[in-house]
Amino acid sequence: MTDAVGSLDTPDAQDEVAESKKKSRKGGKRAKRGPLKRLALFYRQIIAELRKVVWPTRSQLTTYTTVVIVFVTIMIGLVTVIDYGLDHAAKYVFG
């Protein structure tokens, strides 16, 4: 079965040439920069990403913190009750 020119199944000759050029490059732009410039770029990218973050308001932060503390308290109580019950069950079974 033959495919039309430019279909996704069979690459064109130009695509093959472009791929061979990509494979022949060693290191790319990253190899041309020194380690300090790469580190500076890394930190600039971190700061740029942190500026995109939607930070919670004070009231949201208070609400989230309260929910977490209540949940942790409930879980501590649940684990304590289960531990206490298993302790008494083990003492009953093993004497």
Side-chain angles (χ1 to χ4, degrees), residues 17-32:
V17 171
E19 287 179 12
S20 66
K21 286 183 181 179
K22 288 181 184 177
K23 291 179 183 175
S24 65
R25 283 180 26 188
K26 291 185 179 178
K29 293 181 181 178
R30 194 172 294 182
K32 295 178 184 176

Side-chain angles (χ1 to χ4, degrees), residues 2 5 17-20 23 30 33 39 42 44 60 64 68 72 87 91 95:
T2 60
V5 175
V17 171
E19 287 179 12
S20 66
K23 291 179 183 175
R30 194 172 294 182
R33 296 184 184 172
L39 189 62
F42 177 70
R44 280 196 307 266
Q60 289 174 334
Y64 298 156
V68 168
V72 168
D87 181 46
K91 285 181 182 177

Side-chain angles (χ1 to χ4, degrees), residues 6 10-11 14 20 23 26 30 34 37 39 42 45 52 54 56 58 61 65-66 72-73 77 80 85 90:
T10 57
Q14 294 173 352
S20 66
K23 291 179 183 175
K26 291 185 179 178
R30 194 172 294 182
K37 287 188 178 185
L39 189 62
F42 177 70
Q45 290 174 344
K52 295 178 187 177
V54 178
R58 181 173 291 272
L61 187 62
T65 304
T66 305
V72 168
T73 305
T80 302

